[in-house]
Amino acid sequence: MFNIGVEWLDNINELIEKYKSIEAINHAKRLMFWDMETVMPPSGIEERSEVLSNIENYQKKMYLELKDLVDKIEENDDYSKAIKRILNKQIHYYSSLPDEINKEITKISAIAESVWKIAKNRNNFKIVEPYLEKIVDLEIKISEYLGYKKHPYDALLDNYEEDFTVDDGDKIFDYLIKETKGMIDKVKDKEFLKIQKIKNEKYKKEWMVSISNDLKNIFKIPENKFRIDESVHPFTINISPDDVRITTKYELIDFKKSLFATIHEMGHAIYLLNINKEYGCTPLYSSPSFGFDESQSRFLENFVGKSKEFTEFIYPILKKRLPFIKKYDVDEIYYYFNNIDRTPIRIDADELTYNIHIAIRYDIEKNLIEGKYKVSEIPEIWDSKMEEYLGIRPKNYREGILQDIHWYQGSFGYFPTYTLGNIIAAIIWYKIKNIKEHLINGEFDQIFEFLKNNIHIYGSLYSPKELLKRSFNEDYNPEYLIKYFKEKFI
Ligand code: MG
């Protein structure tokens, strides 16, 4: 036993007291963001963006002012270690990046984003190319300022997934490409490959709204802490531990898009609602990484939501709410949910081919940051890799290099976390005992209890790699995901 004085506790308490002001601003920022994406009139955007960037500068100062207090924290238990780890990371980020770089990236990416929209509309990469070149140059500078041990891209990956490196990424994506390339040709049940007629069925908005409510009840999401709104790009936001909101979309045709958007966001919401309440207003009140975040939404959307068992469970509810369902049997719904298609568009991709889209983006980001690829070369690299891995060639830039907003917003290092989410979700799938029986019987309590006890409750007490090790005795092991594909489709 070591002798613990009270001083180290006083230091933590003082730090957390100060941190509460940062969290108060986070609370306000999240509410402003929610408002911006759901109900704000369009012309509100200009001043809102300026206000948000001012707040960002103010918050940066507040973080930097915490430095001396953070230095005083002794790492006596998991909690103090976590506080120190998380705040040091944020302080390092703010103190390493000069103000000019921050301003420049904010400015360029705002312009690039609007030029990207025009470029995508006109199917013309050339007009946005010079902006993307500037962004890549800045990202390279950012990686130098932030610092890295081996590869410059490591510095950017670490912003989204702590301690995730090119060494990890290369291993994962090489393996996934090798295993999934050509897998479509081996799909045994050809029904998966046929486009189902049900895709063209139209629905009334109120029908799907009822289903969203049914799902809320099925997953026992507490009514008084949760709400659902609409937005073009569905998202989840935690205003506070007792106020978690999602959005979904109702396109009035092809109902699975709405259904799975809702289930996906509910996966995020359940995670946030289950974090240890004591971590509210501390730096621990979040998931440890984007990969962990996505693991929860993808687990519920794909592994649970698109399983045969869940399809059977939800079928009577769909039949009650959507009049056209009675024309289709449960198998047809299952194949519709799991239709496999060689699509050039990432967000339309099925489970089996999705990670190929990410592998291509990972390779391009890594080599751009390393200086091995030039921006002018990447449309061709993109298209030929699509052909090599998936057997299709995008017909135009819209189907290729211009489809996603991420790079034009200055997000480099983000894409890989989608695949990490799938990898972690597959690990969970094999760690929950009797999962298929739980699904058939609609015993979601037991599934969520498992997720809560092994992931949710911890918030960001542990780094993502530590949490994987502690809860599952694993690293980002992609073998579970391949095993799952083989069992489901091959
Ligand atoms: Mg998500």
Side-chain angles (χ1 to χ4, degrees):
M1 277 296 286
F2 47 81
N3 199 356
I4 305 170
V6 284
E7 199 190 318
W8 76 280
L9 267 178
D10 287 346
N11 286 339
I12 289 199
N13 289 338
E14 191 186 343
L15 181 64
I16 293 301
E17 256 333 288
K18 289 238 163 77
Y19 182 80
K20 277 185 184 163
S21 322
I22 291 182
E23 189 47 33
I25 293 180
N26 281 334
H27 182 118
K29 260 167 65 179
R30 292 189 291 251
L31 194 54
M32 285 161 104
F33 178 80
W34 174 84
D35 169 82
M36 191 164 92
E37 299 289 319
T38 51
V39 290
M40 186 179 79
S43 66
I45 185 73
E46 206 171 318
E47 182 160 327
R48 181 63 52 84
S49 311
E50 209 182 315
V51 167
L52 280 169
S53 98
N54 273 325
I55 290 180
E56 177 68 22
N57 288 335
Y58 181 57
Q59 225 177 6
K60 174 182 167 178
K61 266 189 227 140
M62 295 172 82
Y63 269 109
L64 293 176
E65 279 166 17
L66 291 183
K67 189 174 183 317
D68 291 345
L69 266 176
V70 176
D71 286 343
K72 274 201 256 169
I73 298 297
E74 290 170 39
E75 297 178 69
N76 283 328
D77 57 4
D78 286 352
Y79 181 72
S80 49
K81 271 186 212 160
I83 301 269
K84 199 157 178 154
R85 182 188 99 243
I86 297 161
L87 289 177
N88 268 337
K89 192 166 190 288
Q90 194 66 46
I91 291 168
H92 170 75
Y93 182 86
Y94 282 134
S95 57
S96 313
L97 288 189
D99 281 344
E100 314 88 80
I101 291 277
N102 261 331
K103 274 186 204 146
E104 232 177 306
I105 191 84
T106 312
K107 203 171 125 194
I108 293 283
S109 49
I111 304 170
E113 202 184 312
S114 57
V115 177
W116 165 74
K117 280 180 193 153
I118 301 166
K120 192 175 176 182
N121 252 325
R122 297 192 193 157
N123 187 34
N124 183 344
F125 179 67
K126 281 279 165 232
I127 48 179
V128 75
E129 191 184 306
Y131 297 95
L132 189 54
E133 270 169 3
K134 276 186 197 149
I135 289 176
V136 170
D137 284 347
L138 282 168
E139 293 293 326
I140 292 170
K141 279 188 193 156
I142 289 172
S143 75
E144 294 301 327
Y145 281 118
L146 291 175
Y148 50 86
K149 284 203 189 92
K150 267 174 98 174
H151 195 287
Y153 186 36
D154 290 348
L156 306 180
L157 290 167
D158 184 67
N159 287 334
Y160 300 94
E161 196 77 12
E162 189 178 343
D163 290 337
F164 185 73
T165 64
V166 165
D167 281 347
D168 300 318
D170 282 355
K171 250 186 263 158
I172 288 170
F173 287 109
D174 287 350
Y175 174 79
L176 287 179
I177 291 168
K178 181 172 85 66
E179 290 290 329
T180 46
K181 200 170 113 178
M183 223 185 215
I184 291 194
D185 300 323
K186 296 190 198 124
V187 171
K188 244 199 181 145
D189 186 345
K190 301 298 172 208
E191 287 298 321
F192 282 121
L193 305 170
K194 284 186 201 152
I195 305 277
Q196 305 294 322
K197 279 203 305 285
I198 191 166
K199 193 178 156 62
N200 302 317
E201 295 282 2
K202 295 192 177 110
Y203 62 85
K204 285 190 184 147
K205 185 175 146 184
E206 62 259 33
W207 299 348
M208 277 316 287
V209 171
S210 307
I211 291 176
S212 300
N213 276 314
D214 294 335
L215 288 166
K216 183 182 71 190
N217 297 329
I218 289 166
F219 297 145
K220 298 204 175 106
I221 303 178
E223 192 107 23
N224 58 339
K225 299 180 181 182
F226 177 77
R227 61 177 284 133
I228 307 177
D229 294 275
E230 280 176 64
S231 69
V232 184
H233 304 287
F235 66 94
T236 302
I237 201 152
N238 51 325
I239 311 292
S240 73
D242 292 320
D243 177 357
V244 174
R245 306 172 188 199
I246 69 164
T247 64
T248 190
K249 57 181 177 181
Y250 302 107
E251 291 172 344
L252 310 184
I253 187 165
D254 199 4
F255 78 94
K256 75 175 176 187
K257 287 190 175 168
S258 173
L259 179 75
F260 289 115
T262 306
I263 297 180
H264 179 102
E265 300 308 330
M266 284 178 171
H268 283 304
I270 293 165
Y271 191 164
L272 293 163
L273 287 163
N274 278 339
I275 296 176
N276 188 346
K277 284 283 167 293
E278 286 169 23
Y279 298 161
C281 285
T282 79
L284 273 64
Y285 180 61
S286 79
S287 68
S289 69
F290 282 64
F292 261 96
D293 258 333
E294 276 300 295
S295 76
Q296 298 308 288
S297 50
R298 283 162 190 267
F299 178 75
L300 202 60
E301 175 191 355
N302 294 327
F303 292 74
V304 169
K306 293 176 187 167
S307 66
K308 189 78 196 262
E309 293 76 17
F310 184 79
T311 311
E312 278 167 22
F313 170 82
I314 197 93
Y315 182 69
I317 295 168
L318 298 176
K319 218 165 161 179
K320 193 167 115 196
R321 301 294 189 197
L322 305 170
F324 55 80
I325 294 287
K326 58 177 174 294
K327 292 190 276 176
Y328 304 94
D329 64 27
V330 74
D331 286 340
E332 287 169 294
I333 305 292
Y334 177 64
Y335 292 125
Y336 162 66
F337 284 173
N338 288 286
N339 185 231
I340 292 171
D341 190 13
R342 293 170 206 267
T343 169
I345 307 293
R346 175 184 62 87
I347 58 166
D348 294 337
D350 53 81
E351 281 183 277
L352 194 55
T353 57
Y354 186 89
N355 302 294
I356 285 177
H357 294 263
I358 302 300
I360 292 171
R361 287 155 178 78
Y362 168 81
D363 172 76
I364 291 178
E365 288 190 357
K366 181 182 82 177
N367 285 295
L368 280 174
I369 300 302
E370 203 183 331
K372 279 197 183 162
Y373 294 166
K374 287 201 269 310
V375 170
S376 59
E377 298 168 336
I378 59 172
E380 174 51 34
I381 292 169
W382 179 297
D383 292 354
S384 39
K385 285 201 184 285
M386 280 297 281
E387 201 164 4
E388 186 191 340
Y389 300 154
L390 209 54
I392 50 162
R393 205 176 168 86
K395 285 199 291 291
N396 52 46
Y397 292 124
R398 261 197 293 266
E399 286 192 349
I401 198 84
L402 289 177
Q403 65 180 276
D404 290 313
I405 194 170
H406 302 55
W407 293 341
Y408 310 94
Q409 281 180 325
S411 300
F412 278 74
Y414 189 134
F415 278 124
T417 65
Y418 294 130
T419 285
L420 298 184
N422 291 332
I423 288 172
I424 299 169
I427 293 174
I428 296 166
W429 179 254
Y430 286 104
K431 298 281 178 183
I432 300 181
K433 291 205 177 73
N434 308 320
I435 181 140
K436 292 190 173 176
E437 279 135 66
H438 292 322
L439 292 177
I440 292 175
N441 301 327
E443 295 159 353
F444 299 101
D445 289 7
Q446 317 216 19
I447 295 170
F448 291 132
E449 216 29 49
F450 178 93
L451 297 174
K452 182 177 179 179
N453 295 334
N454 289 285
I455 298 174
H456 302 171
I457 192 94
Y458 294 112
S460 41
L461 185 63
Y462 303 112
S463 74
K465 281 184 177 173
E466 279 174 323
L467 187 55
L468 274 172
K469 192 89 211 147
R470 286 182 72 101
S471 289
F472 306 115
N473 200 24
E474 272 301 342
D475 51 21
Y476 298 101
N477 180 356
E479 288 169 21
Y480 293 87
L481 185 58
I482 295 302
K483 180 175 174 196
Y484 165 78
F485 289 153
K486 286 182 179 163
E487 284 178 9
K488 185 164 179 180
F489 297 110
I490 309 297

